[in-house]
Amino acid sequence: PAGVCAGDSPRCGRRALVSEYRRLWGRARRAAGARPGALATAAEDRYRLALLQAEDALDGGLGAVRDAAARLESAQTAVTHLTDVTRIELLSLQAGAGTEVEYLRAEADARQARAELATAHAAAITARVRLAQLTGELSLDWLAQGAEEDP
């Protein structure tokens, strides 16, 4: 039968070698043909991952800007309220109805609120800068014009 060798003849060895060569070469060609498809699939997967990471970063940046704006508004409200409390405590002290301790406590609370307002303002600027960096808008001109604007 064809493909079956009997004995140790040189012809039989050559036939086996050629047969093995063709088998291995065919496998290598099939693998080489599949490789570009696998590389394309891997590239598409990396692209999709990059898109998901970019969307996630953008969502995080937008969320940080919204959160910072809310903290800024809350801090501004606290400053307004505690400034009024301080003014009332001072009037109460001047009228003889309040104590100096109450006034000083109100003054300390108002100063603490102003410090928190400054921190919230810095956080809002930082969040806007990070968002501008994510969107590609960050530049020296943007910093000069947009960083100090109210959120």
Side-chain angles (χ1 to χ4, degrees):
V4 175
C5 288
D8 290 333
S9 73
R11 189 172 185 196
C12 184
R14 238 187 340 253
R15 186 179 296 153
L17 184 63
V18 168
S19 176
E20 183 66 12
Y21 173 78
R22 286 181 182 158
R23 185 180 68 79
L24 291 175
W25 180 246
R27 184 183 297 167
R29 284 191 309 183
R30 283 191 302 277
R35 188 167 186 225
L39 291 175
T41 300
E44 289 171 1
D45 290 344
R46 285 191 305 273
Y47 176 72
R48 277 190 235 109
L49 177 62
L51 282 178
L52 290 173
Q53 289 172 335
E55 288 176 9
D56 187 45
L58 187 59
D59 286 345
L62 289 170
V65 168
R66 283 192 299 269
D67 290 348
R71 283 192 305 273
L72 187 61
E73 184 179 338
S74 175
Q76 182 60 53
T77 300
V79 166
T80 301
H81 172 73
L82 291 171
T83 300
D84 288 344
V85 169
T86 301
R87 185 181 52 78
I88 291 168
E89 289 296 337
L90 179 61
L91 290 174
S92 180
L93 178 63
Q94 290 172 344
T99 66
E100 190 172 1
V101 170
E102 291 170 338
Y103 166 71
L104 291 175
R105 184 174 296 126
E107 182 68 30
D109 290 344
R111 288 177 188 245
Q112 179 65 37
R114 283 193 286 278
E116 290 172 8
L117 176 62
T119 301
H121 188 68
I125 291 171
T126 301
R128 287 198 316 275
V129 167
R130 286 186 182 150
L131 183 61
Q133 182 181 22
L134 284 171
T135 59
E137 296 177 8
L138 186 61
S139 67
L140 292 176
D141 290 337
W142 184 91
L143 285 172
Q145 296 172 359
E148 288 294 330
E149 292 176 6
D150 287 334

